[in-house]
Amino acid sequence: MAEVLVYVDHVDGAVRKPTLELLTLARRVGEPVAVALGNGAGDTAAALAEHGAVKVLTHEAAEYGDYLVVPKVDALQAAVAAVSPAAVLVPSSAEGKEIAARLALRLGSGIITDAVDLEAGDEGPVATQSVFAAAFTTKSRVSKGTPVITVKPNSAAVEAAPAAGAVEALSVTFSAAATGTKVTSRTPRESTGRPELTEAAIVVSGGRGVNGAENFAIIEALADSLGAAVGASRAAVDAGWYPHTNQVGQTGKSVSPQLYIASGISGAIQHRAGMQTSKTIVAINKDAEAPIFELVDYGVVGDLFDVVPQLTEEVKTRKG
Amino acid sequence: MSLRIVVTVKYVPDATGDRHFADDLTVDRDDVDGLLSELDEYAVEQALQISENSDDDVEVTVLTVGPEDAKDALRKALSMGADKAIHVEDDDLHGTDAIGTSLVLAKAVEKAGYDLVVSGMASTDGTMGVVPALLAERLGVPQVTLLSEVSVEDGVVKGRRDGDSATEQLEASLPAVVSVTDQSGEARYPSFKGIMAAKKKPVESWDLSDLDIDEDEVGLENAYTVVESAAERPARTAGTIVKDEGEGGKQLAEFLAGQKFI
Ligand SMILES: Cc1cc2nc3c(=O)[nH]c(=O)nc-3n(C[C@H](O)[C@H](O)[C@H](O)COP(=O)(O)OP(=O)(O)OC[C@H]3O[C@@H](n4cnc5c(N)ncnc54)[C@H](O)[C@@H]3O)c2cc1C
């Protein structure tokens, strides 16, 4: 069977969940060969093997941390040359898309970004995308070169599928462009102890209706009672009430959880763009006419300062 | 010293309109009003700020690839304060994908002459967010992208990138390609004076032959991807909506329990 390259998103060897989802999708199209780069690359092998990687190509070098994007493109290009894969799959993070784009250009290949599903097809993998703020679903395929496809988090289930996961050192020669953009400092995001926004099964978001940074405590309390991640609308972020890393929407994160709870969010098209593919949508808004109610499975017209704390208490009681 | 900045902008269908696909599965541009992509306004804004904060002789050129109407996007950018504009227009460009568009932009940027290219973080219609990276790859210059803060001094561009798992400070020598996010600072509104002045600013029109691009390098026929189908997402079935009469939180909990979330 043809091999499929999977770019591994990991933090010092800890593989992030979207990569494991990619392995599930990769197995539909071929045999997954993972590519892990940078500090801790070798430590990824066990998790990758458990989820179906037949091989893990690794390369550690300071360049991956010291320079932006290009060293990783050089490495993936080397991996493509070594493996001649049927496709290359990359997680749809901001960086993942940039890596994928430059790789596609070098390979003379087409690129599809932000796929939410992937199937094998007669003429190569067929990717499903959700476009125009999720108003449409398209199916596309790459028609030239080795398909390069980026896939959004929560697009597939993580499945155990033990495979060999044999570690092989990848040989990489960096291009002249590799050291073009220097990363002069890096401040890792502080962990909140809550699930990663894009990976969470439940997301609880607050908007302008939350009316103040201090009031986000009630959104966080609900999130914690449900084991959820916290999101925010751009209005709440622009007001300085919550960090931009938690913004949901077109210019923030795109989430697709099992359950999305919007409180004090009107449901503007740019917000919908980031949450409309959520399985179950719930909203609390004091305006019965708010467009968010067009999307909901369950909505409560009311003041979030009454409804949210009551919900949190009830969740806690039920969970015992 | 002089600094030549080229800002790439896109004319897009209004996101609040009823966007859909044409019969050939390209974005229908006829039935929805178009405008300068809001995310490119941030790019114009940052270019103008770099210009205003510089002691150098700075020229800001806005560049678009698109149909006749795309001139509206250029006019808006000129009325914000850009100095001149370039419009690449050619019938053969219809349906060109991101890879093809990056080729046209790269050739146009080279022909215009540049020290710095500034782009928005993504378009508001295609939303791929890959054109700046593609442009840097094609031009063979550093990519300094997704910046929420940017500055240029002594031939070096610096900026802050709020990445997926960390905040990074980046630095590269010019020439370079930069993209800025909507966190980079509110874009200015064109003043009346700006709107009047824009009418007199030069707009050059180039076609593919001006850029030495063959018609078989662009267009729908030569795209690197094929859209096989586009279907409107079925409307979500109408949900249950209750008015809070004091028990709203409890009712919601009951619903969540029924769905096995609690
Ligand atoms: C290019 C571009 C990109 C954008 N990207 C994003 C993005 O990524 N994410 C995003 O979210 N937005 C984005 N926006 C902004 C978007 O258009 C909206 O302005 C924004 O989503 C509004 O946020 P909101 O719903 O919190 O605020 P509002 O629209 O002001 O809505 C607040 C809601 O809270 C309700 N409310 C108020 N008080 C209470 C209360 N006590 N109890 C219950 N309900 C209450 C009100 O009835 C109202 O419906 C973008 C815009 C542009 C132009």
Side-chain angles (χ1 to χ4, degrees):
Chain A
M1 201 168 26
E3 291 171 314
V4 176
L5 278 189
V6 171
Y7 176 81
V8 179
D9 186 7
H10 70 98
V11 180
D12 298 330
V15 179
R16 294 182 58 183
K17 185 165 152 257
T19 301
L20 304 179
E21 296 164 6
L22 280 193
L23 290 171
T24 299
L25 294 177
R27 284 188 293 113
R28 295 186 191 161
V29 225
E31 288 197 315
V33 173
V35 182
L37 306 171
N39 197 22
D43 300 337
T44 61
L48 297 169
E50 195 186 317
H51 295 92
V54 295
K55 239 189 278 178
V56 181
L57 307 178
T58 63
H59 188 241
E60 297 199 21
E63 278 82 349
Y64 297 118
D66 293 349
Y67 299 95
L68 194 71
V69 173
V70 187
K72 293 168 182 163
V73 181
D74 289 343
L76 264 186
Q77 190 180 13
V80 169
V83 172
S84 303
V88 182
L89 306 186
V90 181
S92 255
S93 60
E95 185 186 44
K97 288 204 273 187
E98 293 183 329
I99 294 170
R102 297 187 70 138
L103 176 72
L105 194 54
R106 288 187 188 182
L107 300 175
S109 297
I111 174 172
I112 292 174
T113 56
D114 295 324
V116 295
D117 199 6
L118 194 70
E119 298 150 78
D122 294 341
E123 295 168 279
V126 176
T128 305
Q129 288 163 291
S130 179
V131 303
F132 294 159
F136 279 80
T137 302
T138 61
K139 287 190 189 288
S140 313
R141 64 182 168 79
V142 169
S143 51
K144 289 185 191 171
T146 307
V148 179
I149 300 170
T150 78
V151 182
K152 281 194 185 187
N154 279 345
S155 295
V158 173
E159 291 170 5
V167 177
E168 279 179 30
L170 179 69
S171 139
V172 180
T173 314
F174 290 118
S175 63
T179 53
T181 306
K182 198 164 174 30
V183 179
T184 53
S185 81
R186 173 178 287 113
T187 317
R189 208 153 19 103
E190 268 177 52
S191 166
T192 57
R194 297 193 180 91
E196 195 51 50
L197 182 56
T198 52
E199 300 170 13
I202 304 179
V203 174
V204 177
S205 287
R208 199 194 305 274
V210 175
N211 197 26
E214 62 290 352
N215 297 339
F216 256 88
I218 71 164
I219 301 294
E220 290 179 334
L222 174 59
D224 292 343
S225 74
L226 291 163
V230 176
S233 72
R234 190 169 88 169
V237 170
D238 283 354
W241 303 339
Y242 222 67
H244 178 250
T245 43
N246 296 73
Q247 182 178 316
V248 171
Q250 185 183 5
T251 54
K253 301 275 162 43
S254 168
V255 301
S256 199
Q258 297 296 316
L259 171 64
Y260 188 85
I261 305 182
S263 301
I265 293 178
S266 62
I269 185 87
Q270 296 90 354
H271 188 77
R272 290 175 178 215
M275 47 67 73
Q276 198 157 350
T277 55
S278 305
K279 283 260 164 48
T280 299
I281 298 176
V282 166
I284 300 145
N285 195 305
K286 66 179 183 191
D287 175 9
E289 304 295 317
I292 191 84
F293 285 126
E294 293 162 18
L295 302 182
V296 300
D297 296 286
Y298 199 91
V300 179
V301 180
D303 192 323
L304 71 89
F305 294 100
D306 298 328
V307 178
V308 174
Q310 189 181 65
L311 172 60
T312 307
E313 276 318 304
E314 190 66 21
V315 172
K316 283 191 193 155
T317 313
R318 285 177 186 247
K319 282 194 168 176
Chain B
M1 270 206 3
S2 76
L3 179 69
R4 296 161 301 168
I5 305 179
V6 178
V7 186
T8 60
V9 301
K10 188 174 183 186
Y11 181 74
V12 297
D14 187 346
T16 56
D18 180 19
R19 294 178 294 180
H20 53 269
F21 288 91
D23 291 343
D24 64 355
L25 299 183
T26 60
V27 176
D28 189 329
R29 293 172 191 283
D30 293 335
D31 290 349
V32 181
D33 286 342
L35 43 76
L36 167 62
S37 169
E38 281 129 330
L39 295 176
D40 293 337
E41 288 183 17
Y42 295 95
V44 175
E45 176 63 34
Q46 289 308 310
L48 295 174
Q49 286 192 21
I50 290 168
S51 169
E52 287 155 5
N53 296 333
S54 172
D55 301 327
D56 295 338
D57 185 9
V58 185
E59 185 180 56
V60 177
T61 304
V62 284
L63 164 66
T64 196
V65 177
E68 173 64 23
D69 293 349
K71 283 211 169 58
D72 289 357
L74 295 176
R75 282 285 163 223
K76 171 94 187 264
L78 290 172
S79 62
M80 288 172 72
D83 299 306
K84 62 190 185 75
I86 298 168
H87 183 194
V88 182
E89 187 192 0
D90 200 304
D91 289 344
D92 289 325
L93 283 168
H94 175 79
T96 304
D97 62 2
I99 301 256
T101 301
S102 71
L103 172 70
V104 181
L105 287 172
K107 294 267 190 168
V109 162
E110 275 171 337
K111 184 175 159 83
Y114 74 102
D115 302 296
L116 180 67
V117 176
V118 185
S119 303
M121 63 188 287
S123 64
T124 56
D125 56 348
T127 70
M128 290 177 77
V130 296
V131 165
L134 290 170
L135 204 45
E137 177 72 29
R138 291 213 185 255
L139 295 169
V141 302
Q143 155 192 346
V144 197
T145 47
L146 298 173
L147 303 182
S148 39
E149 241 174 57
V150 59
S151 65
V152 175
E153 214 173 318
D154 300 327
V156 174
V157 53
K158 291 185 186 172
R160 190 184 85 228
R161 171 173 164 120
D162 294 321
D164 303 313
S165 57
T167 292
E168 296 164 328
Q169 294 290 340
L170 306 179
E171 192 177 305
S173 302
L174 299 184
V177 173
V178 158
S179 77
V180 299
T181 71
D182 64 338
Q183 297 294 301
S184 59
E186 215 43 59
R188 68 194 65 189
Y189 286 105
S191 64
F192 179 70
K193 214 173 123 210
I195 293 168
M196 296 314 287
K199 296 191 170 146
K200 301 200 190 78
K201 290 177 180 172
V203 179
E204 273 190 68
S205 283
W206 295 345
D207 61 15
L208 290 179
S209 64
D210 292 319
L211 299 175
D212 288 325
I213 296 174
D214 268 355
E215 59 181 40
D216 62 8
E217 291 178 273
V218 293
L220 186 58
E221 298 287 291
N222 304 299
Y224 286 73
T225 47
V226 185
V227 179
E228 296 193 326
S229 66
E232 201 154 354
R233 211 180 139 82
R236 294 185 81 103
T237 42
T240 309
I241 299 191
V242 300
K243 192 166 169 354
D244 178 34
E245 313 267 4
E247 299 279 296
K250 288 189 179 152
Q251 287 168 284
L252 189 43
E254 185 60 36
F255 169 77
L256 295 180
Q259 302 283 315
K260 307 266 183 288
F261 288 115
I262 313 177

